[in-house]
Amino acid sequence: MASIPQSMIPSPRIERLRDFVVAFSNLVESAPGEPDILREGSRLLKELIGIDDWLPVRYAEASVNGYQQYLLHADSRERFSVVSFVWGPGQKSGIHDHTVWGIVGVLRGAEFEQSYSRTSDGRFVENGGLARLGKGEVTAVSPAIGDFHRVSNALDDQPSVSVHVYGANIGAVRRSMYDLDGTSRTFISGYSNTELPNLWDRSKDKSGS
């Protein structure tokens, strides 16, 4: 089958991501507290992932070497960051924390999430059953509502892509991975990309705004 010429592939509607970033910045500026950010931020993220025509291809590429974490935007004051996670077939994370609030929405495919709680002696036990998040669904994490989980691709034959918003520059945050017995290892995740999508070139807007 002949490939589609590059000139015939529609350009991503990157202005949707820009509008989301502007709206989320306004939310962080005005929200009185974390519950308001999680509630209204979940609504904004659900709107963004409801249409799948804005994410550039390079930020949705899977790798056989493990899941990919692409930075899409970092607030200039590092109050929040927006990241795309790409999970290849069979890929999963270990049990980990975030230390800040986070909102997660599935853009493509599906993901499994298993939440954990910590016992008085430091061990980790499953908190509820395995949750399946499908396209368009949103969930949240936070030290205040539950911050330990393990995530995996729910599909064994194709990648899944989710969009995450965190209350910090998440790739620079010192966090921890855990074994079930409570053994921990600190890590700083960094990012899989070195270049950001250009949200601010309005000359290419299809909306004319």
Side-chain angles (χ1 to χ4, degrees), residues 70 72 89 91 113 134 182 189:
Y70 298 105
L72 303 180
Q91 291 177 350
E113 179 190 29
S189 67

Side-chain angles (χ1 to χ4, degrees), residues 20-151:
F20 172 81
V21 163
V22 171
F24 213 98
S25 181
N26 291 336
L27 171 62
V28 171
E29 191 73 36
S30 61
E34 181 180 299
D36 303 275
I37 292 175
L38 294 182
R39 182 179 61 254
E40 180 63 14
S42 294
R43 184 190 67 79
L44 292 173
L45 182 57
K46 194 173 184 66
E47 288 182 357
L48 178 66
I49 63 174
I51 302 176
D52 184 6
D53 65 356
W54 56 269
L55 183 64
V57 171
R58 72 177 69 179
Y59 306 108
E61 294 178 344
S63 170
V64 296
N65 296 320
Y67 64 85
Q68 301 296 287
Q69 177 176 309
Y70 298 105
L71 179 64
L72 303 180
H73 175 78
D75 174 65
S76 62
R77 291 160 58 187
E78 298 187 288
R79 297 171 300 175
F80 71 96
S81 54
V82 185
V83 180
S84 63
F85 270 75
V86 185
W87 308 84
Q91 291 177 350
K92 60 184 179 181
S93 73
I95 302 171
H96 62 278
D97 63 16
H98 310 84
T99 77
V100 298
W101 59 258
I103 308 171
V104 179
V106 177
L107 179 68
R108 301 172 191 165
E111 295 177 4
F112 287 131
E113 179 190 29
Q114 178 61 64
S115 297
Y116 289 84
S117 58
R118 203 166 197 174
T119 63
S120 59
D121 61 359
R123 294 180 300 106
F124 284 87
V125 294
E126 293 181 356
N127 184 12
L130 188 65
R132 187 182 192 276
L133 298 174
K135 176 176 168 56
E137 294 188 291
V138 174
T139 189
V141 294
S142 161
I145 63 174
D147 198 36
F148 305 114
H149 72 177
R150 184 201 304 267
V151 180

